[in-house]
Amino acid sequence: MRLQFKNIRLYGLTFLVALLFLAVPGIPTHAGPYTFSTEELSDGFMKTVFGLEYRTWSWQPYLVKKYVTPVRFYIHNEARKNRRPVIQSFLNSLEGNIRGLSVSMAARPEDANFHIYVVDRDQYRDVVRNNIYANSHADAPGRCLVRVVSDSRGISRSSAVIVSDEGDFLFRRCLIEEVLQGLGPMNDDESLAHSVFNDRSRHSRFTTFDRFILNMLYHPSIKPGMSPQQVKPLLPGVVREVRGSIR
């Protein structure tokens, strides 16, 4: 999907994402669920949690980004089609799928720290400029995007813009990827065949692999502001503890 699915993620004070089963090492050819190794999960964590799709801004993308306070969502459905039931169903599933994450729906926009704007294509540019960047001259590339505000204390605010009227696949793909990236793992990598954090993949669901990544990120041992050097030695133990919560 490249840029048509992504916008620039900038980290700092503000942040403005068909496997062919052949007989190759690490890819089973037998039927049945695939079991990810500790090495695969650790590698996926390092590739998605650290860095950004555009890495020229500063060293700060290479720090852990996560919420340490409850995530309070608010859905702004500005599209012609009411997508609220589908979005709310996905958001309601997050707390059960990510241990350590607290999720609720805010009654008012001012009470939310994660805003989701659902728009039709002809609304996209204005919503991005006015509601995300607060700049009437800002660029609004891509098919959907997420903006994150964070520092060493954790994420304080996320805003995602999801396009509704260009097909159910694009809508679901954008919804899953942008919401999950708004929770912290903001990088993409084309080697992650089992992940939505791969612009070449065709996933439009919260995959088992990505559930591992989010549960590892929200494990209590992983703190916002940690560097790769601090995190990497912890990952084998984190993976062992997380395995019991992923079905």
Side-chain angles (χ1 to χ4, degrees):
M1 280 177 285
R2 299 291 182 179
L3 271 180
Q4 70 267 27
F5 267 80
K6 305 303 298 176
N7 187 37
I8 295 175
R9 275 89 167 164
L10 309 180
Y11 181 61
L13 291 179
T14 60
F15 298 77
L16 274 184
V17 17
L19 181 65
L20 180 63
F21 287 98
L22 300 176
V24 295
I27 302 295
T29 57
H30 59 275
Y34 182 64
T35 302
F36 300 106
S37 69
T38 297
E39 291 73 19
E40 285 177 294
L41 294 171
S42 297
D43 180 63
F45 184 94
M46 298 297 288
K47 287 176 175 176
T48 57
V49 170
F50 297 108
L52 302 172
E53 189 171 5
Y54 297 88
R55 304 176 182 178
T56 60
W57 289 85
S58 73
W59 54 269
Q60 294 185 45
Y62 299 93
L63 301 177
V64 169
K65 304 166 284 293
K66 64 186 285 187
Y67 279 91
V68 295
T69 57
V71 184
R72 302 180 303 277
F73 288 99
Y74 191 88
I75 303 168
H76 305 259
N77 197 100
E78 302 185 14
R80 296 172 184 86
K81 184 173 183 177
N82 181 14
R83 296 285 194 173
R84 190 181 301 274
V86 174
I87 297 171
Q88 189 148 353
S89 177
F90 173 61
L91 300 180
N92 289 342
S93 74
L94 291 175
E95 192 169 294
N97 281 316
I98 306 172
R99 297 183 68 177
L101 183 71
S102 177
V103 170
S104 65
M105 300 302 298
R108 303 177 302 170
E110 56 266 34
D111 296 329
N113 55 12
F114 199 134
H115 293 259
I116 300 175
Y117 295 88
V118 188
V119 302
D120 292 329
R121 176 54 62 191
D122 59 4
Q123 302 168 309
Y124 182 79
R125 184 176 64 177
D126 288 342
V127 169
V128 169
R129 287 178 170 179
N130 297 331
N131 299 91
I132 306 303
Y133 293 92
N135 180 347
S136 61
H137 300 291
D139 191 19
R143 304 290 290 275
C144 52
L145 62 84
V146 65
R147 174 183 181 242
V148 172
V149 178
S150 185
D151 58 25
S152 61
R153 296 168 295 180
I155 298 173
S156 58
R157 181 182 175 92
S158 301
S159 301
V161 183
I162 311 298
V163 172
S164 170
D165 64 341
E166 293 186 339
D168 286 343
F169 173 79
L170 177 64
F171 166 73
R172 291 191 60 84
R173 168 76 186 207
C174 283
L175 171 65
I176 303 302
E177 184 176 14
E178 304 306 335
V179 168
L180 295 182
Q181 291 203 314
L183 297 176
M186 297 187 69
N187 199 27
D188 289 329
D189 194 285
E190 292 181 0
S191 71
L192 303 178
H194 300 277
S195 177
V196 75
F197 306 133
N198 171 4
D199 285 345
R200 291 184 177 272
S201 78
R202 293 285 296 173
H203 298 296
S204 60
R205 60 185 178 85
F206 193 1
T207 69
T208 300
F209 186 89
D210 293 333
R211 288 169 58 204
F212 270 107
I213 298 302
L214 268 297
N215 276 273
M216 291 164 67
L217 177 60
Y218 279 85
H219 188 277
S221 296
I222 307 300
K223 309 292 186 183
M226 278 185 165
S227 68
Q229 293 75 22
Q230 292 173 307
V231 166
K232 194 170 184 178
L234 303 177
L235 293 182
V238 169
V239 171
R240 283 195 299 272
E241 292 191 29
V242 164
R243 283 195 188 278
S245 64
I246 306 295
R247 298 179 179 84

